[in-house]
Amino acid sequence: MDIIILTTVIASFFVVIGAAEPLAARLRLPYSVILAVLGILIGVGATFFLRTTLTDALNPVAEAILGLPIRSNVFLYVFLPTLLFQATLGMNLRRMLDDWVPILVLAVVAVVVATLGVGYALSWVSGLPLAVCLLVGAIVSTTDPSAVVSIFRSMSAPRRLARIIEGESLLNDAAAIALFGLFMGFVMLGLPDPDLGEAVARFPVLILGGALSGWMAARVAVWIMGLFGRHELAQLSVSVALPYLAYIGAEQIVGASGVIAVVAAGLTLNLTAPGRLSPQAWLNMRELWDVLAHWAGALIFILAALLIPRLLEEVRLEDFGLIVVVVVAAIAARSVILFGLLPLLTALRLSPPVDRPYRIAILWGGLRGAVTLALALAVTESLRVPGDVQRLVGILATGFTLFTLIVQGTTLRPVIHRLGLDRLSAMDEALSRQVVAVALQTVREDVARSTEDYDLSREIVRSEAKRFGDRLQEAVRAAEASADILDRDRITLGLIALAGHERDAILQKMRERTISARMADQVLSEADRLIEGTRTAGRNGYQRAARRSVAYGRTFRAAGLLHGRLGLPGPLARMTADRFELLLSQHLILRDLGVFIEGRIRRIHGRRVADLLHELLTRRIEMVETALEGLRLQYPGYAEELERRFIRRTALRLEEREYTVMREDGLIGAEVYTALMQDLNLRRAKAEARPPLDIAVQRTALVRQFPLFSDLDEATLKRLAGALKTRYVDAGEVLMRRDTAAPSVFFIASGAVKLETAGQSWRLGPGEMFGQMAILTRRPRRAEAHAIAPTTLMVLDEDRFRRLLARSDLLRSAVKASAEKRGIEPSEVLGGV
């Protein structure tokens, strides 16, 4: 093939890609549908010009188009890893992990149900071997969520819903391709009725092997990127190599799923790279992959659509009946998931509630595309698959894809409109009118100041002011006509706006490098939880999300158990350092939100709503400060190191700004600027490194700070620090119940505990203890204790406590005072000591 013609054809494809997006927007059709239609038209046109006798001038171009080396391996080894890898880099994994149960269940179960449903329905109707029918089911079980997700985003659908659909589709493709490889093997071996038990047994091996391969490849890639810290282009080049090497290594060396390996590699890079790369390098990497995935997705649709005329060359009349069976079975299988499994997960509180209109839109928006055609092409290319099976699989997969693209794709927006999903709610409509009125008032003031500065003609200013004033009056009348928004709804909308502004502030601090990229992801996740919690449950949802942001999670407590019982301090040290930095970042952001309430929310929603939001914000700040103070008490000195690191990074940011201004003003040249920035980047790399946290040293220092232990010698303190076990609890958690055995004593390192007994209650804080009375009186506990804030406890067993009590006069005095406060004779608790 002439290289000039081939280059011309490929360049022309990029012109088509560029024209497809604005055409899709103008026709209000999904982008993938436009690409597929253009690809089919190109293929049909090339075939026509090659076979017609009207002209031979375009024959070389037509031959080049039809002779493109389009093979299934091109799709599976070049385009597919690009799409999957970019999708994982663009995900907010910390928010995905919140919904991992519905994502994983929907993805895996959806593939299995679709594969079995289509396979058995086709086998029952056609009499084809079950292995072939299940192969067809696996091919058509992949979904392309881009159309429905883009529409959901355009109409402000819940973010969590779009996130679940994206996560499900990513794992859906991986699981479907793994099943495809499984049943393809049965077909090539000539097994008409495969043992599904064997297939199910091999499926986890493919998944786990691929996941392990991808994880290892990503860890090696991150290590290499760390070595290239000062060379951003080198880091980007390593990221480009990663998905392809992971895919090939898993497929050819390990014998596992290459698709799963790519997904695992992308997820691992998403979690680990922000802590190893500079914020700008991480941003540039994601932008690079966005462009690569855009081109790959568009090319895969166009090239796959070119194959459709070829795949349908041998279609027969009876094949249309089988296509209808596949369509009905696939839609029915999808309906079982959306209208059966999804409500069940919601009832079990494993998935957010999804309204019926959204489920209908997801059902009708389940388009199939390039992945389905690529898998069908792999079947038609295999020499070990019988010819009649090749023909039938190609026709059924292509016919089903055309149905989803042409019928479902072109009618998706009308269906969305019919369901009423593209219209604002009454509350949002009323709010939009008030926002317009407030915005226009601000604009009028700013325009008046600008016209005075510019010294414009009075007649022009007067006429434009009258025109703008008429529009403002109309907006004010519309806002007054819809001023019946309930205060409850105003509070909800105000909290959503406040959380949204908090998210914007985080992004700004990240761009300024005041917050590290690693911490920015976590703080952004907390802001997203605030938004979604408020949308779902109003003020209560906002407060629940706020409490969760400072609470100890399951993973944190698990890390504490690993340290306490197995002596593995690494996970706990890393997560404690993360918690320090997270709380410092939150404190930095929350401090500035009051200005937004006064400047914007008060003007839109009124004084009462603004005052309430100030109160809620004050409570959040107090929660963060309490949790931060608890960590300062528990780990003396470490918070100060982090604060010094923050000051250094802020100073470097300001220094960089000064150099940039001097360069723009021409005070320094390019050579001087480059030298200054190189030196600054070296110092910034040192400032970005987080100081290590030595839990063992910190625990000894913590024990030394307890007033109860101040009379102990150094050797006893060190032994006590090793004997104490750490327990992390959240607000509301019960620590001690009445009428239970008393195996240990609790010392409060940070937080607060409420103790209740005999109608009385006490609040205990850092440095105090509880649980000792039941041990010393040898009776069941009479008191009940629960945490009233995120609390860290140091736990000591009975034998060590008694030995410690015999050594410490201060501890005996504290026990005596506690007994007298509760009306117990001191001799009763200290008699045996």
Side-chain angles (χ1 to χ4, degrees):
M1 184 182 298
D2 191 314
I3 187 63
I4 297 176
I5 295 178
L6 179 61
T7 304
T8 303
V9 169
I10 295 175
S12 300
F13 283 162
F14 278 92
V15 174
V16 172
I17 292 171
E21 190 169 3
L23 181 61
R26 186 175 184 83
L27 298 178
R28 297 179 62 80
L29 290 174
Y31 179 54
S32 55
V33 173
I34 295 297
L35 288 173
V37 170
L38 291 175
I40 294 173
L41 293 177
I42 292 172
V44 171
T47 303
F48 170 77
F49 282 112
L50 189 63
R51 296 180 180 179
T52 185
T53 58
L54 297 176
T55 179
D56 294 332
L58 297 177
N59 282 2
V61 177
E63 289 175 353
I65 292 174
L66 296 178
L68 287 173
I70 306 173
R71 300 290 183 268
S72 61
N73 286 344
V74 175
F75 293 105
L76 298 178
Y77 283 88
V78 178
F79 293 132
L80 189 60
T82 306
L83 296 176
L84 295 175
F85 193 73
Q86 183 275 334
T88 58
L89 290 185
M91 287 181 172
N92 187 335
L93 291 183
R94 290 178 176 82
R95 300 298 291 118
M96 286 283 185
L97 290 175
D98 292 342
D99 299 311
W100 71 271
V101 173
I103 289 173
L104 190 61
V105 171
L106 285 175
V108 176
V109 175
V111 169
V112 173
V113 169
T115 301
L116 296 179
V118 173
Y120 278 101
L122 197 59
S123 175
W124 179 64
V125 171
S126 66
L128 291 168
L130 180 60
V132 174
C133 298
L134 291 173
L135 179 63
V136 174
I139 290 173
V140 303
S141 63
T142 63
T143 58
D144 176 16
S146 58
V148 68
V149 169
S150 64
I151 293 176
F152 278 3
R153 285 175 177 169
S154 67
M155 62 188 184
S156 300
R159 290 184 185 177
R160 193 177 184 190
L161 179 58
R163 190 168 58 243
I164 289 176
I165 296 171
E166 289 178 309
E168 181 223 349
S169 176
L170 180 67
L171 299 180
N172 179 299
D173 286 348
I177 294 173
L179 279 180
F180 164 80
L182 205 60
F183 292 121
M184 184 70 169
F186 290 135
V187 171
M188 290 190 297
L189 293 174
L191 300 176
D193 297 309
D195 183 2
L196 292 183
E198 180 184 351
V200 171
R202 289 180 57 191
F203 189 64
V205 177
L206 294 173
I207 301 294
L208 294 177
L212 183 60
S213 301
W215 176 80
M216 291 182 63
R219 296 296 298 182
V220 172
V222 171
W223 175 72
I224 295 175
M225 290 178 189
L227 298 179
F228 300 158
R230 296 175 57 189
H231 305 280
E232 185 178 318
L233 294 179
Q235 294 174 334
L236 297 180
S237 301
V238 172
S239 77
V240 172
L242 173 59
Y244 306 105
L245 294 178
Y247 189 99
I248 295 171
E251 289 276 345
Q252 303 298 323
I253 299 175
V254 181
S257 170
V259 175
I260 296 294
V262 172
V263 172
L267 296 178
T268 304
L269 190 68
N270 193 334
L271 285 172
T272 57
R276 300 294 300 273
L277 306 181
S278 68
Q280 191 60 44
W282 175 241
L283 179 62
N284 291 341
M285 182 181 296
R286 292 176 65 168
E287 290 178 349
L288 169 66
W289 276 100
D290 286 343
V291 174
L292 292 177
H294 176 72
W295 288 341
L299 286 173
I300 196 173
F301 261 103
I302 291 176
L303 296 176
L306 286 174
L307 302 173
I308 290 178
R310 185 193 312 173
L311 293 172
L312 294 179
E313 282 181 344
E314 301 180 22
V315 66
R316 302 169 187 170
L317 185 61
E318 59 269 21
D319 294 335
F320 289 100
L322 296 180
I323 292 174
V324 172
V325 172
V326 173
V327 169
V328 173
I331 293 177
R334 190 70 173 161
S335 300
V336 169
I337 300 298
L338 291 171
F339 297 96
L341 182 60
L342 198 57
L344 177 61
L345 293 177
T346 300
L348 296 175
R349 297 184 178 180
L350 297 176
S351 172
V354 181
D355 294 337
R356 192 178 192 85
Y358 284 112
R359 281 181 276 159
I360 296 174
I362 295 170
L363 173 65
W364 199 244
L367 310 184
R368 271 64 166 184
V371 175
T372 300
L373 292 177
L375 297 179
L377 182 62
V379 177
T380 62
E381 291 175 354
S382 176
L383 299 177
R384 299 175 61 184
V385 176
D388 57 334
V389 172
Q390 292 183 13
R391 185 195 71 83
L392 191 60
V393 170
I395 289 172
L396 293 180
T398 305
F400 179 70
T401 301
L402 285 176
F403 173 84
T404 62
L405 290 174
I406 296 174
V407 178
Q408 293 179 223
T410 56
T411 59
L412 182 57
R413 280 197 178 271
V415 169
I416 294 285
H417 179 73
R418 180 76 175 175
L419 294 171
L421 296 178
D422 57 348
R423 293 189 291 272
L424 290 175
S425 66
M427 183 179 69
D428 288 338
E429 189 73 39
L431 175 69
S432 67
R433 297 192 187 103
Q434 293 204 348
V435 168
V436 169
V438 172
L440 290 180
Q441 289 175 2
T442 304
V443 170
R444 182 181 64 176
E445 297 168 2
D446 293 341
V447 169
R449 285 193 296 268
S450 299
T451 53
E452 291 176 1
D453 295 339
Y454 295 146
D455 194 22
L456 300 176
S457 170
R458 292 183 177 274
E459 291 76 12
I460 296 176
V461 171
R462 191 179 297 111
S463 63
E464 288 300 315
K466 183 179 183 304
R467 179 171 173 270
F468 190 85
D470 293 339
R471 185 186 173 201
L472 177 59
Q473 288 181 0
E474 182 181 349
V476 171
R477 282 196 298 269
E480 291 174 350
S482 59
D484 55 348
I485 305 177
L486 298 176
D487 281 350
R488 178 188 60 192
D489 295 333
R490 288 186 180 277
I491 293 169
T492 298
L493 293 169
L495 288 173
I496 292 173
L498 185 64
H501 181 71
E502 180 177 341
R503 194 179 194 282
D504 294 338
I506 294 167
L507 293 173
Q508 180 62 30
K509 296 295 184 184
M510 180 180 172
R511 285 190 290 268
E512 296 173 353
R513 299 192 180 186
T514 305
I515 298 177
S516 66
R518 179 177 180 176
M519 282 300 103
D521 284 345
Q522 294 190 34
V523 183
L524 281 174
S525 297
E526 299 299 341
D528 288 339
R529 288 192 183 98
L530 288 170
I531 295 172
E532 292 172 11
T534 308
R535 285 187 180 277
T536 303
R539 186 198 313 182
N540 292 333
Y542 181 91
Q543 291 175 309
R544 280 196 299 268
R547 287 193 296 269
R548 178 178 176 177
S549 68
V550 299
Y552 291 109
R554 294 189 184 94
T555 55
F556 197 99
R557 288 197 287 265
L561 290 175
L562 285 176
H563 173 60
R565 297 186 179 180
L566 301 179
L568 299 175
L572 181 60
R574 184 171 59 254
M575 296 183 71
T576 301
D578 284 346
R579 180 173 172 82
F580 256 123
E581 195 168 356
L582 176 66
L583 291 172
L584 284 173
S585 301
Q586 286 183 330
H587 188 265
L588 175 69
I589 297 296
L590 293 176
R591 186 187 57 186
D592 298 331
L593 293 184
V595 177
F596 177 76
I597 296 176
E598 287 299 316
R600 290 288 181 178
I601 293 180
R602 184 181 293 274
R603 298 189 66 180
I604 295 175
H605 296 292
R607 180 178 58 82
R608 185 174 179 278
V609 173
D611 291 344
L612 180 59
L613 264 59
H614 271 300
E615 180 182 344
L616 294 174
L617 179 61
T618 301
R619 291 179 188 172
R620 278 194 67 197
I621 293 174
E622 290 175 352
M623 284 193 298
V624 171
E625 289 177 344
T626 300
L628 196 55
E629 184 61 27
L631 284 175
R632 286 195 178 100
L633 291 171
Q634 188 179 352
Y635 300 102
Y638 187 73
E640 287 76 5
E641 288 296 321
L642 289 180
E643 289 171 353
R644 290 192 185 97
R645 173 173 172 252
F646 166 75
I647 293 172
R648 294 188 196 109
R649 288 191 353 224
T650 302
L652 288 169
R653 173 176 58 83
L654 297 174
E655 183 179 351
E656 180 182 13
R657 185 188 66 185
E658 289 300 314
Y659 293 156
T660 303
V661 171
M662 291 180 184
R663 174 72 177 91
E664 293 173 350
D665 291 343
L667 297 176
I668 57 176
E671 296 82 359
V672 175
Y673 177 77
T674 301
L676 290 173
M677 290 304 298
Q678 287 177 348
D679 176 67
L680 186 142
N681 287 332
L682 288 175
R683 287 183 284 123
R684 174 170 280 151
K686 295 179 182 179
E688 287 289 338
R690 190 166 61 187
L693 173 62
D694 190 329
I695 290 182
V697 173
Q698 292 287 330
R699 176 176 289 186
T700 303
L702 170 65
V703 173
R704 192 179 290 114
Q705 285 190 342
F706 268 82
L708 295 175
F709 307 141
S710 59
D711 62 339
L712 299 177
D713 58 73
E714 190 68 21
T716 304
L717 279 173
K718 289 184 178 179
R719 288 196 300 271
L720 178 60
L724 287 166
K725 305 297 182 183
T726 307
R727 181 178 172 187
Y728 303 96
V729 294
D730 290 322
E733 189 171 335
V734 177
L735 310 175
M736 194 173 71
R737 298 185 184 276
R738 293 186 181 92
D739 300 323
T740 58
S744 51
V745 177
F746 303 90
F747 298 90
I748 304 174
S750 65
V753 173
K754 187 175 183 180
L755 202 65
E756 296 177 341
T757 179
Q760 295 180 307
S761 64
W762 296 271
R763 176 171 175 154
L764 307 179
E768 297 186 89
M769 65 177 169
F770 62 95
Q772 72 277 8
M773 291 302 169
I775 286 179
L776 296 175
T777 59
R778 299 184 183 276
R779 298 173 184 169
R781 285 173 172 154
R782 298 177 181 177
E784 182 167 298
H786 65 270
I788 54 179
T791 301
T792 303
L793 302 171
M794 311 299 288
V795 186
L796 192 65
D797 61 70
E798 179 179 353
D799 292 338
R800 288 190 175 92
F801 175 72
R802 287 184 175 277
R803 291 200 297 269
L804 182 65
L805 191 61
R807 283 171 167 258
S808 173
D809 294 333
L810 285 176
L811 193 59
R812 285 196 298 272
S813 298
V815 169
K816 179 180 178 181
S818 177
E820 291 174 347
K821 183 188 295 185
R822 301 179 194 184
I824 301 175
E825 283 294 329
S827 59
E828 187 178 349
V829 295
L830 295 174
V833 179

